[in-house]
Every structure is written in structure tokens, then in C-alpha cells.
Amino acid sequence: TKFAVPSYFPGHGEGIISLEEVFSTPPDLVEAFKSIVSYRTLGDWVCPPGWRIVGTTNPYDGDEGYKYNTFEVDLAVLQRIITVEVEPVFDEWVEWAQENGINESVLEFLRIDPVRWKEAPPRSWKQLSDWSFRVPVNQLAPIAISCIGEALGVSFIQFLVERDNTR
């Protein structure tokens, strides 16, 4: 059997191929990643010379339990890649948030105690912001808890209620 190369796979030029959540896939699919990284091929497709391959994933938590749904990384894969850990920076995220319409209530809540920001992933704060625009405060509690966890969600709702009562 021969499979056709998808039309969206690059055939020339240059760019970046981003493979998302590489280690959240079952281990047998990691073999495909290994082929792309080691040989720059996947089946009959050959990655053009001007293209860079980048894989992203959340960290594996090992014995501490799974914070994210990831699998332990095979040593053969680790020997073929460069690992870079990226730590988000609060001030940079706030700048991005202001440029991208994050709800001011979320930003106010986080500015009071920026340590809170590290207690949930940046994308969770974005998700909370999106819901905050669409749902009235008196219905937002279960959504806030779902987005950022129980303690933060309850604190966020208390913040909104207290803020609104003082206005």
C-alpha cells in the first residue's frame, strides 16, 4: 500500500513545521516523530532542506503523577532532540493580554496578586476571560472553577462581587 502525501505538507521553500503535543500521543505514534526528526521523512514524504521541525509538549511529571496527559519520553528520542523549557513571564503575558483583549476583570484580579497567575496555565486565564465576556457574574462561578480550579475560581468570583459592590 502506498499513501499519498497530504497537499499541505511542504514540498519546497522554507519555514517551520510545528508538531504539537508530541509526547501526549501514544508511544507508537512517537515512532513517526522519531522518523521525522531522525531522517526528515514520513512515509514517502521528504522534508525540504529549508524547513525546521519543532515539537512541543507539556512536561512529563513521572512519579509525582500526571499534571498533563503525557508519556515518558523514550531515550532514543531524547538523544535526537534539543529540549528547551519555556517559562512564561507575567509582565510579558499581561502585555500580550492587553493587546489581545483579555477581560480587564481578569487582569485586575491577577495584578492584585501576580503569584496567582502561576497557579493556572496562561491559556486557562484566556479561557476565563472569554467566558467572562459572555456570562453574567451570578452564573460565572462553575465556569471559573472549571477554567482555573476551585480555589482560584472562588477567589475570582469573590473579587468580582466585592469590586462590583464598591462601585
Side-chain angles (χ1 to χ4, degrees):
T1 303
K2 188 169 179 145
F3 295 96
V5 175
S7 62
Y8 53 83
F9 273 37
H12 61 282
E14 33 184 66
I16 297 173
I17 298 170
S18 178
L19 305 172
E20 301 286 332
E21 302 298 344
V22 173
F23 302 128
S24 295
T25 61
D28 55 334
L29 289 179
V30 173
E31 291 302 315
F33 175 72
K34 228 189 300 190
S35 174
I36 292 172
V37 170
S38 298
Y39 309 110
R40 298 179 57 85
T41 63
L42 183 62
D44 291 335
W45 174 74
V46 178
C47 183
W51 286 80
R52 302 289 173 254
I53 300 166
V54 176
T56 65
T57 194
N58 287 307
Y60 175 71
D61 289 333
D63 294 336
E64 297 175 22
Y66 289 95
K67 185 174 182 181
Y68 301 99
N69 185 23
T70 57
F71 295 93
E72 189 170 8
V73 183
D74 182 305
L75 182 60
V77 173
L78 286 176
Q79 292 172 337
R80 291 170 168 84
I81 62 175
I82 296 170
T83 303
V84 178
E85 289 192 31
V86 178
E87 271 299 315
V89 177
F90 180 70
D91 292 336
E92 291 174 7
W93 184 83
V94 168
E95 184 178 324
W96 172 88
Q98 290 169 327
E99 293 170 2
N100 288 276
I102 295 296
N103 190 310
E104 191 58 37
S105 297
V106 172
L107 293 175
E108 287 176 39
F109 176 71
L110 292 173
R111 284 187 187 113
I112 291 169
D113 184 4
V115 172
R116 292 174 175 155
W117 181 73
K118 288 271 192 173
E119 295 175 23
R123 68 176 162 257
S124 296
W125 295 108
K126 161 81 167 78
Q127 186 179 35
L128 176 62
S129 169
D130 292 346
W131 281 105
S132 296
F133 284 119
R134 299 191 301 256
V135 177
V137 173
N138 65 347
Q139 297 173 11
L140 191 59
I143 295 169
I145 290 168
S146 175
C147 290
I148 58 175
E150 186 169 2
L152 283 172
V154 168
S155 292
F156 179 68
I157 297 303
Q158 288 172 337
F159 161 77
L160 293 177
V161 169
E162 289 171 12
R163 184 197 64 184
D164 292 348
N165 286 338
T166 61
R167 288 186 173 175

